[in-house]
Amino acid sequence: MVLELKKVFLCDGEKQNINCSVNLNDFDLNGEYPFVSPVSVSGCVQNRSGIVQLTMNVVFEFKSNCDRCQKEIRKEYHEAFSHYLSEALSDNHSEEYIEAPDFQLDLDELVKSDILLNLPHKFLCKDDCKGLCMNCGKDLNEGSCDCNRQNIDPRLEKLQQLIDLE
C-alpha cells in the first residue's frame, strides 16, 4: 500500500489516519512461511510544526519452530513503531528519517522491514527449554534420556585427564 502524503507534508497540523492490513503470507523466511495472518496496521501520519511523524501499531500471528526442541510455536505479536519522514534526505539526516519521495511512502515495505528487524534472533517455546538430546534426539523437556552422558569429545580427552589428576 502506497500512502499519498502530500497534504500532510504541506499543511502544518495535518493528520492522516492509517487502518489497513499488509499481507506477508507469501514471505519466505529461511524456507518457511511464518506469517499465519495478515499484519493489521493502525496509526497515523502527522505534521507537527513541519516535522512529519509516522506512528503505527502492528498486530500479527507468527509461526516458527523452537530452535532447541523443534516444537511448533505460534505467537501473536503486538508491536509499536515510530518514524520521522522527509521528502528528500540529506546526508546528515539519512539515518534519522525515512524518505518519502514525491510525498509517497510504501507502507508494505516499511512494515515488513520493521517487523523483521524486531523479531527475536532465537525462537524458544519457553525460556528454559532443554532442547533435544544430542545422542538419541529425545525431547529433554519430557524427561531425561538413558544416554551415557560420560562420553567425552575426543578432542577434549586430554583436558579431562588433567582434571582427573587434581
Side-chain angles (χ1 to χ4, degrees), residues 25-79:
N25 294 356
D26 59 349
F27 180 74
D28 183 351
L29 182 66
N30 300 325
E32 308 241 342
Y33 298 95
F35 292 94
V36 177
S37 64
V39 178
S40 173
V41 181
S42 62
C44 69
V45 181
Q46 189 169 8
N47 183 338
R48 292 185 182 157
S49 302
I51 297 174
V52 179
Q53 184 177 17
L54 163 69
T55 55
M56 61 182 169
N57 294 307
V58 298
V59 178
F60 60 97
E61 190 174 348
F62 192 85
K63 167 183 83 166
S64 184
N65 290 331
C66 176
D67 285 330
R68 292 184 185 158
C69 69
Q70 294 300 305
K71 284 185 182 172
E72 185 177 286
I73 306 166
R74 285 181 177 255
K75 183 176 179 183
E76 185 172 274
Y77 285 89
H78 298 263
E79 303 290 341

Side-chain angles (χ1 to χ4, degrees), residues 149-164:
R149 301 208 184 240
Q150 297 301 321
N151 291 343
I152 298 174
D153 186 331
R155 297 170 291 178
L156 302 176
E157 283 180 353
K158 293 291 183 187
L159 289 174
Q160 183 63 46
Q161 290 171 3
L162 288 173
I163 292 172
D164 291 341

